Amino acid sequence: MKINYFSRKSIAFVLCVLLLCSMQASAACTAVYVGSQASDDGSIIIARSNDLQNVWANHVTITPAVENEPGRFMPVSADGSVQTEIPATTYKYTATPLMDTSEGNESAHDAAACTNEYGVSMTMSVTAFPNKAALKADPLVTGGVAEFAATDLVICQSKTAREAVDVLLKTIDEYGSSESNIAIIADQNEVWYVEMYTGHQYAAVKLPADKVSVFGNEYTLEYLSEYEDSITSKDLITLAEDNGFAVHDKNNEVNLFKTYSGDNVTSDYSHMRTWIGHQILAPSAFNANYSHDAMYPLCFTPDEKVSMEDVSEIMRDRFEETKYSPDETERIDMRVIGTDTALSAHILQVYPDLPAEMSCVSWVSSGPPVCGVFVPVSNDCVNVSDAYGGEQSGENYGNFDTDNYPYYTFKDLSTRCVGPDNYEVYGEPVQDYWDKAESNMFASMSKVLKEATKMKDADKRADYITSYCNDMQTKAFDDAKEILNTVMWEQNKNSNTLKIERNPETHQMTGKEVVIDPIKIDLDASKYKSSYSPFFDFGFNW
């Protein structure tokens, strides 16, 4: 269905304002890290929701490698007005940018997550908030590094995670930062976590392989001495000491959280999402009751090995079975992880033991994952499906096209399926179906990659992996459209505003509240188990 709500001219001014300020002020992202020794299959997992209260559609792109073409530039700033020269040779990479219709401005696309041909992956950004003293001492820089531009810029030119970190931090050194952000950068050997505080101050640490992390929009890094390796801006400590806001804590070491952020900056809006991630993965160590005053550490040990299913469920979590659940309590003051305001979400899975050029899988949720699904895009793919790769042109802003673009379908599904009146009846059955589909895809993708390593011809291997990923994307979009139709049908059928039953014979109200049974999704998730044999024609089952 296509609904044209607005003319392009009527929203031009508002959209320009949003581009300048909304991502830093309103974003509400949540990130997850699982080290290779903490995951159930030995893979590295990094994930993030890309949240904003708006209708900004996204898609998947594959940018080819470029050899020996000097004189090219890429944006540094959000609006593209500040650019920097990139190397003559850049690498093939996949990305999840916004469409032109989401921007009203073709100079910046917010790639959100990227993986390249060398197995380097990056997600940015989780917006975070420094304190007033830090910002006064080192203000943010207009035209400096922004999340809209950074991920493409870094990943297109980095062969390792450490090189990617260096590119990001050197760009901040040269241009400053226009936002306060958090990034996670991984390759097959190591993972780096980067906190960007003010205009020129930052700290990066290498994350331990046997730990996990979950955090909302807040800084959680405390002591550099707790990490194997770290990189900081040259004035990180002296700036704080010279301006009187440094906080020396354990062993007289500067506590970066208390120095650059602090308890006064901590908000329930962000802190509760950090808490629930800790409570889900390590309930033995973290209290089931949220505490605003608790310091939930950046890295912690999970009670059990963490699976891809665990991570996808965290990205959908709505504080279920707690006193904070908005769906069970009808509270309106809770900011959950699994929200209908997500622009998109992604889980980047890196396999340490595969060839680098096929070591990364971007599990992409186009639109909110709360009632959506994560589909695979390998860094070895040569293309993506027509639907997931489709670009809605800028002049079609306001055209809510669920027929052709997955974002709109999943956005509509999630909007319809959350809330006290809808979640149990519509949302949970939809989630249950996607959970089954994802579990089948997670298992099948591992088999596909294992079989692909047996193929000697790199081009045929890439085609084989691409065919599998595109098939899963197509199946998911077809199912999503059918599920959306089911939800719309049932919601309209049950749209009577009278909430009290009536006697069909006497037409008298009985005083008993109408209870609507959960909908049934009449689809078969087992089709996502299918994969292809590289030694026969595509289409054989395992």
Side-chain angles (χ1 to χ4, degrees):
M1 67 204 67
K2 300 179 182 179
I3 306 171
N4 197 357
Y5 288 114
F6 309 106
S7 70
R8 186 174 174 83
K9 290 182 180 179
S10 68
I11 49 78
F13 175 76
V14 175
L15 187 58
C16 289
V17 173
L18 283 170
L19 283 171
L20 291 174
C21 66
S22 64
M23 291 301 290
Q24 181 71 6
S26 304
C29 307
T30 306
V32 179
Y33 158 72
V34 181
S36 59
Q37 296 175 25
S39 68
D40 68 346
D41 64 356
S43 65
I44 296 165
I45 304 170
I46 59 177
R48 183 174 71 89
S49 60
N50 188 22
D51 297 356
L52 182 70
Q53 179 72 53
N54 213 316
V55 180
W56 283 5
N58 53 73
H59 62 149
V60 181
T61 60
I62 298 177
T63 301
V66 175
E67 290 191 20
N68 196 27
E69 289 190 15
R72 293 178 296 137
F73 291 79
M74 290 183 70
V76 170
S77 62
D79 62 1
S81 61
V82 178
Q83 301 199 354
T84 188
E85 188 170 7
I86 59 175
T89 295
T90 51
Y91 314 126
K92 172 194 170 188
Y93 68 94
T94 64
T96 58
L98 299 172
M99 296 183 189
D100 287 344
T101 48
S102 304
E103 296 288 335
N105 182 337
E106 297 183 5
S107 64
H109 293 278
D110 186 24
C114 291
T115 66
N116 73 20
E117 63 182 295
Y118 288 97
V120 184
S121 299
M122 177 176 175
T123 181
M124 177 177 164
S125 168
V126 176
T127 303
F129 302 94
N131 59 44
K132 293 180 180 179
L135 285 171
K136 181 179 179 181
D138 181 29
L140 295 171
V141 178
T142 301
V145 174
E147 66 173 285
F148 263 34
T151 312
D152 292 80
L153 176 64
V154 169
I155 291 300
C156 78
Q157 58 181 296
S158 302
K159 287 187 175 181
T160 67
R162 176 57 189 266
E163 184 178 358
V165 172
D166 288 343
V167 170
L168 175 62
L169 300 185
K170 287 177 181 178
T171 307
I172 295 175
D173 288 340
E174 181 173 356
Y175 296 96
S177 180
S178 64
E179 301 164 351
S180 301
N181 290 321
I182 298 172
I184 308 177
I185 303 173
D187 63 18
Q188 293 178 278
N189 301 308
E190 60 185 22
V191 181
W192 285 80
Y193 168 89
V194 186
E195 292 189 344
M196 292 153 270
Y197 303 112
T198 57
H200 305 87
Q201 307 310 318
Y202 53 77
V205 294
K206 186 164 74 171
L207 297 177
D210 61 345
K211 303 293 184 181
V212 299
S213 300
V214 184
F215 53 91
N217 294 97
E218 59 184 0
Y219 299 117
T220 53
L221 176 61
E222 294 185 279
Y223 305 104
L224 296 175
S225 62
E226 295 178 346
Y227 296 87
E228 177 186 350
D229 199 359
S230 63
I231 310 167
T232 69
S233 49
K234 64 183 180 66
D235 298 326
L236 181 69
I237 304 303
T238 56
L239 178 82
E241 291 179 333
D242 291 348
N243 287 275
F245 64 91
V247 177
H248 293 264
D249 213 336
K250 185 177 65 176
N251 298 324
N252 203 36
E253 182 179 357
V254 167
N255 183 315
L256 291 177
F257 167 75
K258 291 183 179 180
T259 296
Y260 277 91
S261 184
D263 296 334
N264 291 334
V265 179
T266 298
S267 68
D268 293 338
Y269 180 84
S270 302
H271 206 47
M272 290 191 76
R273 285 177 278 133
T274 303
W275 156 74
I276 196 64
H278 286 63
Q279 216 282 314
I280 289 171
L281 295 183
S284 67
F286 298 98
N287 198 297
N289 289 317
Y290 165 73
S291 172
H292 175 87
D293 298 325
M295 182 67 200
Y296 299 108
L298 169 60
C299 292
F300 60 99
T301 302
D303 285 357
E304 300 177 355
K305 296 288 187 179
V306 180
S307 67
M308 285 289 294
E309 288 87 348
D310 294 330
V311 176
S312 66
E313 287 309 300
I314 289 173
M315 303 309 288
R316 295 189 177 99
D317 187 82
R318 293 181 61 79
F319 301 161
E320 289 93 342
E321 299 180 2
T322 76
K323 62 184 179 181
Y324 312 108
S325 167
D327 305 301
E328 298 169 32
T329 66
E330 301 190 21
R331 294 181 64 164
I332 61 173
D333 60 338
M334 295 291 100
R335 181 55 166 85
V336 296
I337 297 174
T339 170
D340 55 317
T341 62
L343 301 177
S344 63
H346 45 266
I347 305 172
L348 307 181
Q349 187 177 22
V350 184
Y351 292 88
D353 57 347
L354 291 179
E357 63 271 19
M358 56 176 290
S359 63
C360 301
V361 180
S362 299
W363 293 94
V364 177
S365 172
S366 185
V370 61
C371 287
V373 62
F374 290 98
V375 297
V377 183
S378 168
N379 67 328
D380 205 21
C381 282
V382 296
N383 57 52
V384 293
S385 65
D386 290 343
Y388 275 85
E391 167 72 282
Q392 191 182 31
S393 60
E395 58 266 22
N396 285 320
Y397 187 90
N399 184 2
F400 200 93
D401 187 352
T402 59
D403 290 335
N404 295 298
Y405 302 103
Y407 167 82
Y408 294 112
T409 304
F410 292 115
K411 175 67 173 177
D412 200 6
L413 260 179
S414 297
T415 300
R416 291 174 178 274
C417 291
V418 300
D421 293 333
N422 295 322
Y423 190 61
E424 184 177 349
V425 176
Y426 306 105
E428 289 184 346
V430 172
Q431 271 193 359
D432 289 344
Y433 178 74
W434 290 133
D435 286 346
K436 294 172 185 175
E438 281 175 357
S439 184
N440 289 331
M441 281 190 282
F442 293 152
S444 294
M445 189 75 228
S446 295
K447 291 180 179 179
V448 166
L449 294 174
K450 183 178 179 180
E451 290 299 313
T453 60
K454 302 174 184 178
M455 303 180 71
K456 296 181 180 180
D457 187 308
D459 290 337
K460 289 183 178 178
R461 182 198 66 203
D463 288 342
Y464 161 62
I465 294 174
T466 301
S467 294
Y468 172 75
C469 292
N470 287 3
D471 185 35
M472 294 300 101
Q473 296 160 26
T474 300
K475 283 182 168 66
F477 187 39
D478 288 345
D479 277 358
K481 288 186 284 188
E482 189 166 342
I483 292 171
L484 177 59
N485 184 71
T486 298
V487 170
M488 292 174 65
W489 182 274
E490 294 296 324
Q491 284 186 334
N492 280 277
K493 186 177 73 174
N494 298 318
S495 62
N496 192 334
T497 56
L498 293 175
K499 300 297 184 181
I500 304 300
E501 288 183 353
R502 65 181 178 84
N503 187 310
E505 296 179 358
T506 66
H507 291 250
Q508 294 297 316
M509 291 187 179
T510 66
K512 184 178 180 181
E513 185 175 355
V514 174
V515 176
I516 302 172
D517 292 331
I519 64 170
K520 293 182 179 180
I521 304 299
D522 190 21
L523 295 170
D524 183 7
S526 67
K527 62 178 172 282
Y528 293 95
K529 290 182 179 178
S530 64
S531 56
Y532 307 109
S533 169
F535 305 109
F536 302 98
D537 291 336
F538 292 157
F540 281 71
N541 290 332
W542 290 98

